[in-house]
Amino acid sequence: MMSLRTGARRLSTLTALSLTVFPGLTLAEQQSEQPDQAEQTAAPASTSDNGDRANVPLVPDTPTWDSFHGQLNAQKYSPLDQINVDNVGQLEKVWEVHTGDISDGSGDTPATVWSATPVVANDTLYIGTPFYKLIAYNPATGEEKWRFDTQSSREALTQPVLKNRGVAYWEADDPIEGESCQKIVYMGTMDAQLFAIDADTGKPCQGFADNGVLNVDQWNNVNSKFPLSLLQPPTIVGDHVIFGWAGKDWAYQEAPPGTVFSINARTGEREWEFEALSDEMRRKSGTANVWTHMSADEQNGLIYLPVSSPSPNFWGGNRTEKAPLATSTTALDVDTGEVVWSRQWVHHDIWDYDINAAPTLMDITVDGEEIPALVQATKMGFLFVVNRLTGEDVWPIEERPVPQGDGSVEGEVYAPTQPFPTKPAPLLDQSKKPEVWALADAVGFGQCSRLWDELTYEGMYTPPTTRGEGALAYPDSAGGVQWGGVAFDPESQTAIVNTSHIVQTVKLYNREDYDKADSGSGNESGFAPQEGAPYGMRLEVADNWLGMPCWEPPFGEIVAIDMHTGDIKWRKPVGASQQFGFFMPERWGSPTIGGPAVTAGGVIFIGASMDAKVRAYSLETGEKLWEDQTQAPVVANPSVYEYDGRQYVAFVAGGNTILKDQVGDQIAVYALPEDNE
């Protein structure tokens, strides 16, 4: 087993792939910024721990929805076709449950944000709740089999709300009959505890860590301002349980540095760890963590990390040296944690452009050549497409000059260029200020026009400023694309992604001005101190006094991309925005959180919108085929599964206060009427 600290130190993978891995840097510059200088070439990942790995297909042979994105490839694809474009309009709700774990934040308990994708394995549907309970249901009826309560504190330690994105499932290759914990469900908590629960009985696995609980915070030993919250379920590859952590956004200059851990599935023993920042930057900065799910290519022994930005998020004068693994997609050898390749998508990130979704792995044919590819969706509305084995461009990714600020922010050093994909085209036009929405401007008596005049904008990557009302960010922290990521139909080689069109304003304040201006914050908006830095900040949605967006609709779309060519096949507004109980026209679309699933029946399923509806669309045309109302916005990806010969689609209607103040505790499951199957 490798040294526990070698993951980041192995990034001297800078020979034949050097200029591809870190575009825009010379080889000498790349080598000079690494933690050590030991030469190493990019090599295929080890398969020493799994002799059968070469036989694992990228797309499972049987219908599978046993992880956060359905499968480790993050395609969110099901080969089931019982439900198809001809009959999906007949879908009916066949069962629903309410977990009881819900809070609107009006009492002593913080509001709940529930983004859990149901995991279906072992003839059971498993879910985690924002009160950190793990529940097992019969997938056909919703009858509860068991539940386990972690007894975790209901305190919002690192987030403004209570959050849970679900559970992870593992089972032994050769289960020992009569032995417990041959199948395990894992769930983390906000206070950094990882629980391993017997998937059959709901009882803790006594052989795992400390009687079934691993205290991950024992490894929080640099700038430990907050616990390493485990809100996202681990990624399970073979016997490796791999996870990052979530922290407190925008709060500190110095914060816990981003570390990814691999532990043994049975024992909880730490196997390796990966660090995205150099030792020097770890001490004076922090984060660059992985807070969302990962994807993996089991056949080639690679796990893909979507890495976030360093701290503080909107000022980088404390971290002016290059940090090429921050805001990146980084491929590791799953057995050792060694870096195989990495691509940085934002240099010197001062916009909180975390890579927030697992890259989607796919085999595509471009100009007659079969390519093992991945697509990395981003908050910027870019889709970067590279060879998943080498990190090389599929279509050219160009380094282009970007704005260099207005001189108002002391100590900042801006990256001269940023990567721009040539294909697919950006999901939204960031080249100029979005047009003011005349309706919102009229209702606001010119408020939106006045705001636009006070906002700096020089195109994509306009830096934060202290002047006027700040900089216009389109998009900024809200995305673009959120953690739902890209779905992919391997038959037609069509990628599906939903995107938000949101304008935000970001302004920096020196310490004296910040203390006067600070009027509090909400969920991913408002004022934040960036304690220790010379500047606090404010991030807000650009709207009028009535809460109407100041920019023209649509506010969200679903987009289909032909991955043979990188061209858009179709794009449609998705969902409907909602304010004060009124639904806006669907042609205006809705901001979206959560992603799509796609099936061999030619159907796309998605929730994600403000209006708390779930919908089905035609993969071929984008036509809406079906919809139903749920308790709250579905901000998790749906699950598509088969049980006893019947196909089901499951949605978690949990809500997210980023979209609107409507929360839920509903699992809603749909199928065709039995006489129509």
Side-chain angles (χ1 to χ4, degrees):
M1 185 176 70
M2 65 176 283
S3 164
L4 293 176
R5 301 298 291 271
T6 54
R9 301 180 194 280
R10 298 300 183 100
L11 192 64
S12 295
T13 313
L14 301 169
T15 53
L17 291 179
S18 60
L19 297 180
T20 300
V21 173
F22 302 123
L25 302 182
T26 67
L27 180 57
E29 287 173 326
Q30 293 172 41
Q31 290 175 328
S32 68
E33 66 189 48
Q34 303 313 316
D36 70 27
Q37 304 302 316
E39 289 194 10
Q40 181 181 336
T41 59
S46 166
T47 58
S48 59
D49 287 359
N50 189 343
D52 297 328
R53 186 172 284 160
N55 299 320
V56 179
L58 182 69
V59 180
D61 294 327
T62 57
T64 302
W65 217 275
D66 61 0
S67 65
F68 183 75
H69 287 303
Q71 313 88 29
L72 283 173
N73 57 32
Q75 289 185 4
K76 282 83 72 180
Y77 168 76
S78 173
L80 297 172
D81 60 5
Q82 186 180 95
I83 301 169
N84 55 55
V85 292
D86 296 323
N87 60 25
V88 67
Q90 302 171 39
L91 276 188
E92 61 183 20
K93 191 188 302 174
V94 293
W95 65 264
E96 69 174 306
V97 296
H98 292 267
T99 68
D101 289 6
I102 181 175
S103 171
D104 64 5
S106 60
D108 294 334
T109 303
T112 50
V113 163
W114 195 24
S115 314
T117 298
V119 164
V120 182
N122 192 34
D123 292 331
T124 305
L125 185 149
Y126 299 101
I127 201 76
T129 79
F131 287 176
Y132 307 109
K133 297 174 187 172
L134 202 162
I135 311 174
Y137 295 103
N138 180 305
T141 66
E143 179 184 359
E144 187 173 310
K145 293 184 175 184
W146 54 258
R147 70 169 54 200
F148 176 80
D149 188 347
T150 66
Q151 302 292 324
S152 179
S153 166
R154 295 180 192 175
E155 295 180 74
L157 299 172
T158 59
Q159 311 286 305
V161 291
L162 299 179
K163 286 184 181 179
N164 175 273
R165 293 202 180 100
V167 303
Y169 176 83
W170 168 88
E171 64 178 62
D173 288 336
D174 299 304
I176 302 172
E177 189 173 351
E179 288 277 341
S180 65
C181 294
Q182 300 298 288
K183 301 173 183 177
I184 300 176
V185 185
Y186 304 88
M187 188 178 74
T189 64
M190 193 175 288
D191 59 0
Q193 308 300 301
L194 181 65
F195 287 79
I197 307 300
D198 186 294
D200 291 322
T201 66
K203 296 179 179 179
C205 293
Q206 299 300 313
F208 179 90
D210 185 9
N211 296 316
V213 188
L214 174 65
N215 175 18
V216 175
D217 221 38
Q218 66 182 297
W219 302 323
N220 184 6
N221 50 26
V222 178
N223 302 334
S224 53
K225 299 284 202 310
F226 46 72
L228 306 182
S229 293
L230 306 177
L231 309 179
Q232 178 72 44
T235 303
I236 311 293
V237 188
D239 288 343
H240 302 290
V241 177
I242 302 167
F243 55 90
W245 50 265
K248 200 166 192 175
D249 285 343
W250 314 340
Y252 304 104
Q253 171 177 294
E254 297 176 358
T259 305
V260 172
F261 303 98
S262 176
I263 62 173
N264 180 270
R266 295 175 174 83
T267 67
E269 179 184 358
R270 186 169 46 160
E271 299 169 329
W272 53 258
E273 65 182 47
F274 161 83
E275 297 162 358
L277 300 178
S278 67
D279 285 345
E280 180 183 359
M281 193 175 287
R282 283 166 60 82
R283 291 190 295 270
K284 64 184 182 181
S285 174
T287 59
N289 52 315
V290 176
W291 57 260
T292 190
H293 211 56
M294 301 167 238
S295 50
D297 181 339
E298 284 191 276
Q299 185 175 73
N300 290 290
L302 294 172
I303 185 161
Y304 300 93
L305 278 54
V307 183
S308 73
S309 58
S311 64
N313 293 94
F314 293 92
W315 178 79
N318 66 316
R319 48 178 178 87
T320 56
E321 65 267 50
K322 294 182 177 66
L325 295 182
T327 319
S328 75
T329 303
T330 296
L332 305 182
D333 183 314
V334 73
D335 292 325
T336 67
E338 297 179 27
V339 173
V340 176
W341 62 262
S342 184
R343 290 296 297 266
Q344 184 173 70
W345 305 127
V346 183
H347 309 317
H348 190 66
D349 187 351
I350 49 173
W351 301 271
D352 190 32
Y353 280 150
D354 297 348
I355 304 305
N356 61 351
T360 300
L361 315 184
M362 55 186 67
D363 294 326
I364 58 177
T365 305
V366 178
D367 295 331
E369 179 185 359
E370 293 185 7
I371 300 173
L374 68 75
V375 175
Q376 180 64 73
T378 67
K379 288 184 178 182
M380 301 88 76
F382 292 149
L383 300 176
F384 293 102
V385 185
V386 299
N387 184 306
R388 69 175 181 270
L389 303 184
T390 66
E392 297 172 292
D393 299 359
V394 171
W395 293 288
I397 298 169
E398 299 175 350
E399 289 286 330
R400 298 177 185 170
V402 292
Q404 294 297 291
D406 58 12
S408 69
V409 181
E410 295 182 5
E412 190 60 270
V413 177
Y414 303 104
T417 65
Q418 296 288 355
F420 286 76
T422 56
K423 279 195 172 186
L427 297 174
L428 64 172
D429 182 5
Q430 320 103 323
S431 64
K432 60 181 188 287
K433 265 187 185 177
E435 296 294 329
V436 170
W437 189 19
L439 178 60
D441 201 34
V443 171
F445 304 101
Q447 182 183 4
C448 293
S449 293
R450 290 191 297 273
L451 175 61
W452 254 230
D453 289 342
E454 285 291 311
L455 291 170
T456 299
Y457 193 68
E458 301 176 73
M460 190 67 189
Y461 297 111
T462 297
T465 178
T466 64
R467 295 177 180 168
E469 286 298 316
L472 182 146
Y474 182 60
D476 201 87
S477 183
V481 183
Q482 278 291 343
W483 59 79
V486 176
F488 180 69
D489 171 43
E491 297 303 315
S492 65
Q493 296 193 14
T494 302
I496 303 294
V497 62
N498 56 293
T499 180
S500 295
H501 298 203
I502 297 177
V503 174
Q504 292 176 286
T505 69
V506 58
K507 182 173 181 177
L508 297 181
Y509 297 82
N510 65 38
R511 279 292 144 215
E512 181 180 353
D513 291 341
Y514 179 83
D515 292 339
K516 295 175 183 176
D518 181 9
S519 59
S521 62
N523 188 5
E524 304 293 331
S525 66
F527 288 81
Q530 301 194 134
E531 184 180 306
Y535 297 96
M537 51 77 63
R538 182 198 70 200
L539 181 72
E540 293 181 337
V541 174
D543 54 16
N544 67 14
W545 66 272
L546 194 60
M548 296 175 66
C550 278
W551 64 98
E552 289 186 337
F555 308 122
E557 293 181 293
I558 188 167
V559 183
I561 301 143
D562 184 341
M563 293 306 296
H564 297 293
T565 64
D567 296 330
I568 303 296
K569 294 179 68 172
W570 53 258
R571 59 192 310 154
K572 306 279 186 179
V574 61
S577 298
Q578 187 180 4
Q579 184 81 341
F580 307 120
F582 296 98
F583 292 104
M584 303 298 109
E586 287 197 23
R587 69 177 182 275
W588 293 352
S590 166
T592 63
I593 298 178
V598 63
T599 76
V603 178
I604 301 162
F605 292 103
I606 191 170
S609 56
M610 285 182 71
D611 56 13
K613 290 184 178 181
V614 292
R615 294 175 168 87
Y617 294 88
S618 164
L619 172 65
E620 180 60 30
T621 67
E623 177 188 0
K624 186 177 70 174
L625 304 172
W626 168 86
E627 68 179 15
D628 194 39
Q629 188 74 49
T630 55
Q631 180 189 14
V634 172
V635 294
N637 292 358
S639 298
V640 181
Y641 64 92
E642 183 180 51
Y643 188 75
D644 283 346
R646 193 179 191 189
Q647 182 179 344
Y648 298 85
V649 184
F651 297 90
V652 164
N656 190 315
T657 51
I658 296 174
L659 279 180
K660 65 175 180 176
D661 293 331
Q662 182 181 10
V663 295
D665 66 341
Q666 180 192 34
I667 305 173
V669 181
Y670 299 85
L672 295 173
E674 291 191 89
D675 58 354
N676 289 345
E677 293 171 11

